[in-house]
Amino acid sequence: MKVSIASDHAGYDMRQLVIKHLTDKGFEVIDGGAVSATERFSYVEAGNKVATDVLTGKADRGIAICGTGIGISMVCNKHKGIRAALCNNEYMARMCRQHNDANVLAFGARVVGPEIAFAMVDCFFEEEFAGGRHAERVGQMKQTEEENFK
Ligand code: RB5
């Protein structure tokens, strides 16, 4: 599984930890975004990178990190076909896969610590989409995109 990960400066340190966590588990990682924690980097650019990597098939899924996770998740969700889930705990990371078929996990490096981040990342890759009635809802989301994305 190929994972695109990007962050702004606020998410830089956390991104390094998550990359190590992923590579230790055998994931192929495409890294993008801020080059340090001190040099400012827009979460918009970072979110666009993750979304584009997923939509072009360069990556199977994405991880997007900023200070709160809010800005970068908003950016990812501006891309048609991206379902970015802003998660703060393991339960949300589990549910965003089972119920929402999320293809991008977003979180805030100033909100969760590394252990919670690792647990969320693990859930995000372990859980499968449940389908059934949830497929109907995801279909409705896609229809909403068709109607509203110009
Ligand atoms: C950067 O200071 C901060 O605004 C950004 O990381 C993020 O939290 C925005 O949503």
Side-chain angles (χ1 to χ4, degrees), residues 8-10 40 43 66-72 110:
D8 67 355
H9 53 285
R40 290 194 179 281
Y43 62 80
C66 68
T68 58
I70 295 171
I72 204 162
R110 294 172 177 163

Side-chain angles (χ1 to χ4, degrees), residues 11 14 28 33-34 51-52 118 120 142:
M14 177 67 86
E28 194 178 321
T52 304
F118 299 156
M120 292 196 301
K142 288 177 180 164

Side-chain angles (χ1 to χ4, degrees), residues 66-87:
C66 68
T68 58
I70 295 171
I72 204 162
S73 61
M74 288 179 170
V75 172
C76 289
N77 282 317
K78 299 289 181 203
H79 292 253
K80 187 177 179 182
I82 292 295
R83 289 179 301 283
L86 172 55
C87 297

Side-chain angles (χ1 to χ4, degrees), residues 3-4 6 15-16 22-23 31 44 48 54 59 62 71 75-76 91 108 113 118 122 130 135 137 140 146:
V3 184
S4 173
R15 192 176 96 229
Q16 307 315 306
L22 287 169
T23 49
D31 187 25
V44 177
N48 284 337
V54 172
V75 172
C76 289
Y91 178 72
F118 299 156
D122 291 346
R137 310 276 185 266
Q140 288 173 332
E146 291 303 326

